[in-house]
Amino acid sequence: MSKYPADDDVELPQAITRKRLLQLGLLTVPAAAALTAGVASSSGSASAGPQPVPDDLEPTPACHDGDAPTIAQTEGPYFKPNSPLRSDLVIPGAPGTLLTVSGYVFSRSCRPVDKALLDFWQADDAGAYDNSGYKWRGHQFTDATGRFSLSTIVPGLYPGRTRHIHVKVQAPNQRVLTTQLYFPNEPRNNTDSIFDRRLLMTVRTVPKGKEGTYDFILNFR
């Protein structure tokens, strides 16, 4: 869990998922206890006893087979194959708010996926895509725990769309999932025709910019 406190504008659509509990080895702890322990830790509270679960956090069930896979979304017109192998897309001196996106890739049976391919592409701070080169584009692979981490900037807005990051995710020898990641509490989330809150990242402000998290569930066991 981040050492930084949550902002007033933080929305937690994927907070403390069953997959993250599996990754952290907390599934032997009752769900409510795991959630309240996380809340107490982040707030620095020294009080003993159970803490109330926030209204926006659903109780986390035990990890089980058959979890719903991450939904697919349109590729859009700006995808380019053969992006560079890199997890840091930041261009020194380029405008924009620094953003780190991290998380895990799991199968439907909650197993972490090693060497899953993640190919990211996005608009720059002004809402423009680089179609002649590979700025703000790159691919990487998960480690043995299924973890990935991307260093980039918060993408700008352009007409007709809310703020988003494109991504293709593929486990070895499996089908490609093409989807998009969204930012909470964006005004255009309400008017974007393809926005889906199931693809919202958990985002918080930190001293150097923003931190986002999201866990992908691929449709195989």
Side-chain angles (χ1 to χ4, degrees), residues 69 105-109 111 113 171-172 174 217-221:
V105 178
F106 294 95
S107 70
R108 285 174 51 213
S109 57
R111 297 180 183 275
V113 181
Q174 299 293 329
I217 309 170
L218 300 184
N219 193 15
F220 75 101
R221 293 182 183 275

Side-chain angles (χ1 to χ4, degrees), residues 2-5 7 97-98 100 204-211:
S2 172
K3 64 182 179 181
Y4 302 107
D7 292 347
T97 301
L98 294 176
T100 298
R204 67 179 68 240
T205 300
V206 297
K208 292 185 178 181
K210 300 280 187 179
E211 287 182 351

